Amino acid sequence: VVSLEEELQKQGELKDVYEKLNSTNTELAKKLEALENDKLNLLKVKDEAQATAAKLDQRKLILADLKDTAELLTDISTKKRRLSESINSLSSAQSVFNQTDQDYQHTRLQFDRLRKIWQQGQSAILASTLKADSPCPVCGSTEHPKPATSEEYLPSEAELNDLEKRVLELETELNAKRADVSSCEKEVEAITAKIEVLSGEVVEKTEINSENISEKIKEAELNVRESDFARSTLETSLEFLEKLS
């Protein structure tokens, strides 16, 4: 027979067990709740990490595009300077060509005029070589009662040959200067066309120009660093939460 005292002792022990079980259940419930919260946080951090990684990739693309645009603008600026130099070269070449052409035309006209005078004055030139009592090289007579004369200056054949040589030299020089002008014109056209192509590649980026491109690149680089830091922080948090789970 169990005494009353023993019964009370057993009931007390059972009460202690019950309270311990109840406390354990409460702790387990809290841990389960905390675990669920950790899982939710883990999912949230994963989503944030993915979003941040995507944002980082986008900002890297923007930065790369800005750097490409900066290179295009630099290339355009360089070619514009080269175009200015080429235009100056063309202007100089045209001036030299015009002067050479003027010299050529003047010398050519002078040669044509003197040659015509020389051709028309052959009789006077021949008469100027006649000597008294010497036979005429044309008719053979030793008398020269009325030799031909000319009121104009009659050039010698040597003078005509020298002038003709000068005409040929100027003509050669003129052709060379014409080739120089043509080469400069082609260079100006080629550079102008290249500038138009390069300008077309940045025409849609109307807010970007050579004055603000450096600031925009600095801003994009800062954005990339911020996104990279945020991604790194989230990855560290994700590793910690995954270990807890």
Side-chain angles (χ1 to χ4, degrees):
V1 178
V2 179
S3 65
L4 178 59
E5 184 178 349
E6 291 176 339
E7 184 66 28
L8 290 173
Q9 185 180 355
K10 286 183 179 181
Q11 287 181 2
E13 291 174 356
L14 289 174
K15 183 179 179 181
D16 290 340
V17 171
Y18 173 78
E19 289 177 353
K20 288 180 180 180
L21 287 174
N22 189 43
S23 176
T24 300
N25 287 335
T26 301
E27 290 179 5
L28 287 174
K30 289 181 179 180
K31 288 183 177 180
L32 287 173
E33 183 179 359
L35 182 59
E36 291 296 325
N37 289 333
D38 288 343
K39 288 182 178 179
L40 291 175
N41 288 333
L42 179 61
L43 292 175
K44 182 180 179 181
V45 171
K46 282 184 176 180
D47 291 340
E48 290 179 358
Q50 290 176 351
T52 301
K55 190 173 185 179
L56 175 61
D57 290 340
Q58 182 182 16
R59 287 181 169 180
K60 284 182 177 179
L61 289 175
I62 292 173
L63 177 59
D65 185 58
L66 285 172
K67 288 184 176 180
D68 288 343
T69 302
E71 290 182 4
L72 286 174
L73 291 172
T74 300
D75 199 8
I76 290 173
S77 179
T78 301
K79 283 181 170 52
K80 282 183 176 179
R81 288 196 297 271
R82 179 57 184 153
L83 176 60
S84 178
E85 294 172 358
S86 296
I87 290 174
N88 290 335
S89 297
L90 174 59
S91 179
S92 298
Q94 287 175 329
S95 296
V96 173
F97 171 80
N98 291 337
Q99 183 60 51
T100 305
D101 184 51
Q102 184 178 347
D103 294 343
Y104 169 76
Q105 296 297 338
H106 174 75
T107 306
R108 181 75 196 190
L109 287 174
Q110 185 181 14
F111 170 72
D112 290 342
R113 182 178 65 82
L114 290 181
R115 183 173 60 177
K116 184 177 180 180
I117 293 173
W118 181 82
Q119 290 172 342
Q120 293 175 346
Q122 283 303 298
S123 58
I125 293 174
L126 181 62
S128 67
T129 64
L130 295 175
K131 294 180 180 180
D133 299 326
S134 295
C136 173
V138 176
C139 65
S141 173
T142 57
E143 296 181 359
H144 317 297
K146 194 177 180 181
T149 61
S150 175
E151 296 180 357
E152 290 186 288
Y153 167 74
L154 297 176
S156 66
E157 187 173 359
E159 287 178 299
L160 281 179
N161 289 337
D162 289 342
L163 195 56
E164 183 179 22
K165 181 180 178 182
R166 179 57 182 159
V167 168
L168 294 175
E169 289 174 349
L170 285 172
E171 186 174 4
T172 300
E173 184 177 353
L174 184 64
N175 289 332
K177 301 308 178 186
R178 183 181 290 110
D180 291 342
V181 170
S182 178
S183 176
C184 289
E185 287 176 340
K186 290 179 180 178
E187 184 175 12
V188 168
E189 291 175 0
I191 296 175
T192 300
K194 185 60 177 177
I195 290 175
E196 290 177 355
V197 171
L198 294 174
S199 298
E201 294 180 18
V202 295
V203 70
E204 295 180 359
K205 304 179 179 66
T206 54
E207 77 285 358
I208 298 175
N209 53 57
S210 57
E211 295 179 357
N212 64 14
I213 186 66
S214 296
E215 289 300 321
K216 288 188 174 293
I217 287 177
K218 289 180 181 178
E219 181 182 347
E221 287 176 338
L222 178 60
N223 289 336
V224 168
R225 286 196 295 270
E226 289 178 348
S227 295
D228 192 35
F229 177 75
R231 177 190 57 78
S232 177
T233 302
L234 287 170
E235 286 180 351
T236 301
S237 300
L238 190 60
E239 291 177 1
F240 176 74
L241 289 172
E242 286 177 340
K243 289 179 180 178
L244 290 179
S245 61

